[in-house]
Amino acid sequence: MATLKQVAAHAEVSVQTVSNALNAPHRLRADTLERVNRSIELLNYRPNRNARSLRTSAVELIGYCVPSWPNQTHLVMDQFLHALCAAAERTGRHILLFTAPGGVDGMPTYDDLHARRMVDGFVLSQTETHDPRHGWLKEQDIPFVSFGRVWKETTQPGPWVDVDGAAGSAMAVRHLYESGRRRIAFLGWPKSSGLGEDRVGGWRDACKDLGLPTSGLTVRCREDSIEEGARATARLLDSGRTVDGIVALSDILALGALRELTRRGLTPGHDVGVTGFDDSPLAEVVSPGLTSLRQPMDQIAEELITILTGSSNGSPVERLLRPELVIRGSSAPG
């Protein structure tokens, strides 16, 4: 493999000129830049990533720990990983995927990856209250950004990008209201879930704004599964309360609601309107198609890479993005 000195000799310029061509091309005259680039191409020169990142403190290779989702398949993980890798590659960077235990048990993995110069920074997800990764990365002065906020802390421990779940739930309520629904329930997670409380809060606020009842119309599920979504829907319908709309915290719970409604001879979209969250691949293949809130994965990934690589040009390092409501047959007018 050619070296920087060999490229400089071939182009008959200094080593610094070759470095400028790679890192600050605006400093060179057009004819000089063209000559250096021609030598780089002819000699098939590839910059040493470790040397460059050490010299410039640039984030060249980005580590991402693939989450472990117990007892379920996270239907949007594929979409996120693809979007994240594509966003990094558009800037000439790459993503290194790895796995690690949660909490403090996973910290040696992060330490080893950075100590061996395998990564220069990290994208985090599945962040938790008092997450040990934040403090350690700050102490080591290692760049990081989180996909998702940390709940139940007075201040965020670092830069983040997230989707406005409360706004999404409110959008779903207003859509069902506009289709004629007046008793709209919510299928959520336990109160210990900050994300769950954010989304149920959006449902509650929208119902109050529209003059809709909320008492007794929230069912909290023990886990995010189709079976639990079906059981929660059954409890809701067996309570004696009239329900003509259901906003589910996730597509998984919404699919359970569709299953239970069909089992009882009710027609989703006609008798009861149902919405989910995530717009997972299953949302458009079930019958009727599931109305769902789509997370803007491409934009999320772009924002994460922009913040991590210091390309935000002074823009805020906390980005809250709105989801998009994708309307399908499960919420057709009643």
Side-chain angles (χ1 to χ4, degrees):
M1 184 178 293
T3 66
L4 198 70
K5 289 183 179 180
Q6 289 171 330
V7 172
H10 188 274
E12 298 181 340
V13 297
S14 68
V15 170
Q16 182 59 53
T17 298
V18 178
S19 179
N20 285 341
L22 294 168
N23 303 308
H26 61 279
R27 296 180 180 177
L28 302 181
R29 296 200 314 267
D31 59 331
T32 303
L33 180 61
E34 183 181 358
R35 188 164 75 254
V36 174
N37 284 338
R38 189 183 306 118
S39 294
I40 289 173
E41 184 177 351
L42 288 172
L43 297 179
N44 194 30
Y45 173 72
R46 294 291 181 271
N48 184 298
R49 189 200 72 81
N50 285 343
R52 182 169 184 264
S53 62
L54 281 169
R55 184 174 64 255
T56 65
S57 298
V59 177
E60 298 289 330
L61 191 57
I62 299 164
Y64 178 71
C65 182
V66 180
S68 172
W69 301 92
N71 304 320
Q72 65 174 359
T73 300
H74 197 270
L75 299 177
V76 297
M77 180 53 61
D78 245 8
Q79 300 171 24
F80 174 67
L81 289 179
H82 185 276
L84 186 65
C85 291
E89 288 165 8
R90 281 193 290 272
T91 68
R93 298 170 173 86
H94 296 281
I95 302 294
L96 174 71
L97 301 178
F98 66 97
T99 60
V104 294
D105 292 339
M107 295 315 304
T109 302
Y110 288 81
D111 190 12
D112 180 63
L113 287 171
H114 191 260
R116 292 196 287 152
R117 304 301 303 173
M118 296 183 69
V119 299
D120 308 307
F122 293 93
V123 171
L124 309 179
S125 65
Q126 275 193 315
T127 53
E128 302 174 348
T129 304
H130 307 307
D131 194 316
R133 294 176 296 179
H134 295 129
W136 184 83
L137 290 168
K138 283 182 178 179
E139 289 174 4
Q140 302 297 318
D141 199 26
I142 300 172
F144 71 92
V145 61
S146 300
F147 176 23
R149 288 162 285 176
V150 177
W151 304 100
K152 301 178 183 179
E153 290 193 17
T154 54
T155 59
Q156 293 296 318
W160 54 268
V161 178
D162 203 359
V163 175
D164 194 339
S169 293
M171 290 167 61
V173 171
R174 293 190 185 97
H175 164 65
L176 291 174
Y177 179 85
E178 290 167 1
S179 68
R181 319 291 175 178
R182 294 297 181 267
R183 294 188 61 83
I184 302 170
F186 188 87
L187 302 187
W189 291 342
K191 287 186 176 181
S192 58
S193 167
L195 182 148
E197 290 306 287
D198 183 52
R199 294 185 185 179
V200 74
W203 163 83
R204 186 181 298 110
D205 290 345
C207 285
K208 289 182 178 178
D209 288 345
L210 296 169
L212 303 180
T214 58
S215 178
L217 292 176
T218 303
V219 182
R220 298 186 181 275
C221 302
R222 293 170 295 181
E223 61 182 23
D224 195 39
S225 68
I226 292 177
E227 292 74 19
E228 185 64 12
R231 284 192 290 267
T233 304
R235 293 198 300 273
L236 184 66
L237 298 176
D238 290 340
S239 68
R241 294 179 175 85
T242 302
V243 174
D244 57 11
I246 295 175
V247 173
L249 183 143
S250 70
D251 280 359
I252 292 289
L253 295 180
L255 292 173
L258 295 181
R259 174 189 289 181
E260 181 61 19
L261 291 171
T262 302
R263 189 187 72 81
R264 292 177 178 239
L266 299 171
T267 303
H270 178 73
D271 297 312
V272 181
V274 179
T275 68
F277 204 115
D278 281 340
D279 193 34
S280 60
L282 289 178
E284 60 181 342
V285 299
V286 295
S287 181
L290 176 63
T291 293
S292 186
L293 288 145
R294 176 182 295 165
Q295 300 197 49
M297 288 301 178
D298 290 340
Q299 187 182 1
I300 291 167
E302 290 283 356
E303 298 282 8
L304 288 167
I305 298 301
T306 296
I307 292 173
L308 186 61
T309 58
S311 305
S312 55
N313 295 320
S315 299
V317 291
E318 298 182 351
R319 315 281 175 81
L320 190 59
L321 309 178
R322 289 179 68 85
E324 173 192 0
L325 185 67
V326 181
I327 299 172
R328 301 189 178 93
S330 70
S331 64

